[in-house]
Amino acid sequence: MMLAATLALGSTAAVALQKNPMVGGAAMYPTKTIVENASQSKDHTTLVAAVKAAGLVDTLSGPGPFTVFAPTNAAFKKLPAGTVDTLLKPENKQQLTGVLTYHVVPGRITAEDIAAKAKANGGTATYATVQGGNLMFRKAGNGWAIMDAKGDKGRITTANVMQSNGVIHVIDTVMLPQ
């Protein structure tokens, strides 16, 4: 419904008119950075802890722009027991960085951009991540499914959370690179 309205208005006008959604019980401000906003979301404490452990705070606080597909705490809980604890260990920083940067695409990619790219490419939009792998997107009901290189699927649950240095799309599954 919001996607159709946004497409009808045109992406620039729609962004100016739409109000950023609440995420994790916190207001998201388009004047704040990805890290500043994510740090306020009670649904993203695991992601924020991982970003800190990987040393990516400065990068994701920088000018960007970046598009972050941000897994919730519940998404991290879907991983096999012990996975998060193992990734957060200092000796696994490189692997953690790989997982996190697999959720980041250079540029400011909105849901409207994903829809347009999918329409132009037979229903699938593919974006190269900072990690070097690809994330794929397909229409799923009223929203979008996200797929990693191994074929694992999740959903974008909240799209177009605009930031001063990019955009966040909340997702319900941690995507893993090959």
Side-chain angles (χ1 to χ4, degrees):
M1 92 186 138
M2 187 165 122
L3 178 60
T6 302
L7 289 174
L9 289 170
S11 63
T12 304
V15 169
L17 294 174
Q18 87 184 40
K19 183 180 179 206
N20 257 16
M22 298 282 285
V23 175
M28 299 287 111
Y29 297 100
T31 56
K32 293 189 176 185
T33 68
I34 290 165
V35 173
E36 288 171 329
N37 274 323
S39 295
Q40 299 306 305
S41 168
K42 71 178 189 319
D43 292 343
H44 290 91
T45 56
T46 304
L47 177 63
V48 170
V51 166
K52 289 177 181 177
L56 294 173
V57 170
D58 288 344
T59 299
L60 292 176
S61 296
F66 305 104
T67 299
V68 176
F69 296 93
T72 61
N73 294 341
F76 280 100
K77 286 181 183 175
K78 289 184 193 178
L79 293 171
T83 301
V84 173
D85 290 336
T86 299
L87 285 171
L88 291 175
K89 291 181 179 178
E91 61 268 23
N92 296 323
K93 183 177 178 180
Q94 185 175 2
Q95 184 180 3
L96 175 62
T97 300
V99 170
L100 293 175
T101 57
Y102 190 61
H103 290 81
V104 180
V105 173
R108 186 182 299 264
I109 311 297
T110 65
E112 297 75 28
D113 296 325
I114 294 169
K117 189 169 188 173
K119 184 177 180 181
N121 292 291
T124 302
T126 302
Y127 289 93
T129 69
V130 170
Q131 179 268 349
N134 290 319
L135 290 173
M136 292 145 295
F137 301 86
R138 289 194 183 132
K139 191 76 174 136
N142 290 334
W144 289 92
I146 181 172
M147 293 156 285
D148 63 23
K150 297 182 304 185
D152 293 330
K153 295 178 186 172
R155 292 184 57 89
I156 295 176
T157 58
T158 305
N160 296 340
V161 184
M162 305 314 276
Q163 318 290 300
S164 65
N165 62 342
V167 61
I168 291 175
H169 301 282
V170 178
I171 60 174
D172 66 358
T173 305
V174 176
M175 300 287 102
L176 296 172
Q178 280 193 327

